[in-house]
Amino acid sequence: MDIEVQQTLSHYINGKRISGKSGRFGDVYNPALGEVAKRVPLASAEEVRDAITAAAEAFPAWAATPATKRAQVMFNFRALIKRDMDKLARLVSSEHGKTLEDARGSITRGLEVVEFACGIAQLLKGEYSDSVAASVDSWSMRQPLGVCAGITPFNFPAMVPMWMFPIAIACGNTFVLKPSEKDPSCGFALAELMAEAGLPAGVLNVLGGDKEAVDALLTDARVQAVSFVGSTAIGERIYRIGCAHGKRVQALCGAKNHMVVMPDADLRQAADAVIGAAFGSAGERCMAVSVVVAVGDEVGDALAAALKPRVAALKVGPFDDPAAEMGPVITPAAKARIEGYIDRGVSEGAALVLDGRGCAVPGYENGCFVGGTIFDRVTPAMSIYRDEIFGPVLCIVRAGSFAEALQLVNDHEYGNGCAIFTRDGDAAREFASRAQIGMVGVNVPIPVPLAFHSFGGWKRSLFGDHHIHGPEGVRFYTRMKTVTTRWPSGIRAGAVFNFKSGGEH
Ligand code: NAD
């Protein structure tokens, strides 16, 4: 595989690459080798202020640009992503570790949001009422907010930023993106492609950074809205601080997605579904299935027996091995944390069906590889059930009935996604209606809504009122204004001091 040369990245502010001045850097790993390959500057509060100033100065002209012209930039951006798809996928994979095919798929999901944003003129259309009173008309419009900020996680370094900035910018806002410091290169590359697509300088700025940069974004009065995607502990804090500073905040957070398998399900189909959904991208997906709830011991026994040999045979390897089905996890620290959870699951008394600890890939002995791991007979009291492990670790929980399975889903603190596998329409309908979860699949293990719907969880998987992208994305990044107009028509109403009944102004 290619070994990236040691490289120091730079910020992207006001249309230019700017070297970091804080003297602080974050390590970007090559996860397959377990070695640091690049350094990213970690922005100081002053550098964050520079980026916000660039975005604030670019806002009036960009907001005044007709929506059709803003959409033109999105059409151009779409073509450039397609042109550079392989390059971008390599960038994602080399820093994240996921296979190239998986990286391409994730960029395509981001691209679909760009395609949605191409229709911004239609999406911003307001309502109009003719003659709400004599000679009085009323109409509404959606206007941009100003400077918006995006703070994104490591697991989708292209897709998650593209959930945010294309819609925010198409709506007429300007944007400061703070991608994960673990795999930031794609964020910078996307900003350069937006510039090539015709975006004026200052409309999209990208900063390397950590908590210090995030705190500066959250406390600057010029930032109107913050979109966050990441873990629950950080997201809840960001929501609270952002709201306390008067900002609109959406914080999409952690997950523990349950897949309920009913006794009447097609077990082959269910097993296929679990393997992709639990172990794809090494389990580092917020919509990964991390818990299978087997309804009845027969289902539990059959699934454990079917999954064990197939997961053991998964080919683990570096991103550019075309045979690899699962890459490494992001850093040595992530590997240690995941293996620590496997240790804990054993000591808590779960049945270890398949052990992914000590996974060695020839030629990559120091790589951050964790093999597929399966625990059976997991109980709700165990930490491997309660916590998001964010690795290739699947827990099988046994439930005695549909009602018990649904209760497990609803009692868990997270509410991002869930699925039911069944042939019974009644059970599926009941499940979809009663699950306290934001995204529900019926015989679909990862029910991620497409770009023209909105994505988001319930409970401690989302803080804020808006889901992300789709129609909710347009609502989040705009404010409604309603205008009431009267044109001179010779009517003289005189001064009016009281509200009048409907139709009189
Ligand atoms: P993370 O919370 O560690 O980091 C997310 C972002 O917050 C990064 O940009 C990081 O630099 C920043 N950050 C980290 N510590 C901070 C602090 N103390 N103060 C302010 N900002 C801080 O998350 P991660 O490990 O990069 O990503 C994995 C998590 O993201 C998982 O929990 C996963 O479920 C979640 N996720 C959720 C969704 C969703 O849509 N719900 C999607 C993708 C990922």
Side-chain angles (χ1 to χ4, degrees):
M1 75 182 278
D2 291 347
I3 299 170
E4 294 280 345
V5 288
Q6 178 84 29
Q7 186 189 342
T8 300
L9 304 172
S10 43
H11 305 301
Y12 184 84
I13 302 175
N14 209 13
K16 293 189 207 75
R17 294 304 287 253
I18 310 251
S19 301
K21 296 193 203 83
S22 70
R24 294 194 308 123
F25 294 90
D27 290 337
V28 179
Y29 277 83
N30 175 333
L33 295 174
E35 288 170 1
V36 177
K38 303 176 195 169
R39 303 193 307 164
V40 62
L42 302 175
S44 64
E46 194 187 335
E47 289 167 304
V48 173
R49 281 196 288 276
D50 290 346
I52 298 172
T53 300
E57 287 175 357
F59 175 66
W62 182 245
T65 302
T68 47
K69 289 225 166 98
R70 298 197 301 254
Q72 208 53 56
V73 174
M74 294 301 156
F75 279 107
N76 297 341
F77 182 49
R78 174 184 183 272
L80 294 174
I81 292 177
K82 283 181 159 281
R83 181 195 72 187
D84 286 358
M85 177 62 87
D86 286 342
K87 246 195 252 173
L88 290 168
R90 265 194 108 68
L91 212 47
V92 168
S93 292
S94 63
E95 293 180 3
H96 177 280
K98 63 177 83 182
T99 63
L100 278 172
E101 200 187 332
D102 196 19
R104 267 189 222 105
S106 71
I107 296 168
T108 302
R109 296 316 287 263
L111 190 61
E112 288 162 3
V113 181
V114 177
E115 289 167 351
F116 175 75
C118 287
I120 196 65
Q122 168 71 16
L123 294 164
L124 289 178
K125 261 166 50 179
E127 294 168 338
Y128 186 92
S129 296
D130 173 63
S131 296
V132 293
S135 305
V136 177
D137 307 320
S138 211
W139 54 285
S140 64
M141 58 179 154
R142 300 207 74 94
Q143 292 194 313
L145 307 173
V147 179
C148 300
I151 300 153
T152 54
F154 79 81
N155 66 323
F156 285 110
M159 182 184 83
V160 171
M162 283 198 278
W163 282 356
M164 301 175 181
F165 74 77
I167 297 182
I169 288 174
C171 286
N173 300 285
T174 55
F175 205 85
V176 180
L177 172 68
K178 207 299 290 167
S180 169
E181 66 277 35
K182 296 189 182 115
D183 49 11
S185 291
C186 222
F188 299 118
L190 292 174
E192 285 177 331
L193 286 185
M194 284 288 278
E196 193 180 343
L199 192 74
V203 176
L204 175 59
N205 307 277
V206 185
L207 292 167
D210 59 1
K211 179 176 182 298
E212 184 172 337
V214 172
D215 286 348
L217 286 168
L218 291 174
T219 52
D220 192 304
R222 294 169 296 172
V223 175
Q224 301 294 312
V226 176
S227 298
F228 168 87
V229 176
S231 61
T232 293
I234 309 291
E236 186 171 20
R237 178 180 173 273
I238 281 174
Y239 181 74
R240 297 225 156 118
I241 299 176
C243 290
H245 283 81
K247 301 181 195 324
R248 191 178 277 199
V249 185
Q250 56 180 180
L252 286 87
C253 296
K256 195 82 180 178
N257 305 309
H258 291 47
M259 175 171 145
V260 174
V261 183
M262 295 291 288
D264 66 349
D266 177 334
L267 287 188
R268 279 176 70 101
Q269 186 195 35
D272 285 346
V274 180
I275 290 170
F279 302 104
S281 209
E284 291 174 322
R285 288 181 180 146
C286 68
M287 287 293 276
V289 166
S290 45
V291 177
V292 163
V293 183
V295 178
D297 274 334
E298 267 179 41
V299 174
D301 293 345
L303 271 179
L307 290 175
K308 182 177 176 178
R310 293 185 58 188
V311 176
L314 283 179
K315 171 96 169 73
V316 180
F319 74 86
D320 55 357
D321 174 352
E325 293 164 302
M326 202 167 83
V329 297
I330 181 84
T331 54
K335 175 179 157 106
R337 190 181 49 76
I338 295 162
E339 292 194 336
Y341 268 109
I342 303 175
D343 296 343
R344 224 171 303 159
V346 172
S347 63
E348 285 173 331
L352 186 58
V353 175
L354 187 65
D355 186 355
R357 289 172 294 186
C359 171
V361 175
Y364 299 89
E365 282 72 15
N366 294 323
C368 311
F369 295 98
V370 181
T373 299
I374 303 173
F375 279 110
D376 195 1
R377 301 194 178 276
V378 174
T379 67
M382 296 177 182
S383 65
I384 54 168
Y385 176 78
R386 289 195 314 270
D387 299 350
E388 181 183 42
I389 299 174
F390 221 55
V393 180
L394 179 70
C395 295
I396 301 176
V397 181
R398 313 261 180 140
S401 63
F402 169 81
E404 210 180 292
L406 182 62
Q407 197 64 45
L408 281 166
V409 170
N410 286 347
D411 285 349
H412 205 284
E413 67 169 319
Y414 294 121
N416 216 38
C418 67
I420 185 166
F421 275 65
T422 182
R423 291 186 170 100
D424 178 343
D426 273 349
R429 191 167 184 282
E430 180 91 347
F431 185 79
S433 162
R434 291 179 51 201
Q436 299 291 304
I437 302 285
M439 295 169 281
V440 180
V442 174
N443 298 317
V444 173
I446 304 190
V448 172
L450 284 179
F452 39 91
H453 287 268
S454 299
F455 179 110
W458 287 14
K459 297 189 280 187
R460 290 176 62 74
S461 293
L462 181 124
F463 299 90
D465 299 321
H466 291 88
H467 286 195
I468 209 162
H469 70 60
E472 291 264 287
V474 176
R475 280 179 214 125
F476 182 75
Y477 291 123
T478 55
R479 267 191 270 262
M480 173 83 92
K481 182 181 278 179
T482 305
V483 182
T484 303
T485 62
R486 167 183 282 140
W487 293 101
S489 62
I491 299 170
R492 290 277 177 274
V496 175
F497 298 99
N498 303 316
F499 284 123
K500 295 280 175 92
S501 59
E504 290 181 61
H505 276 74

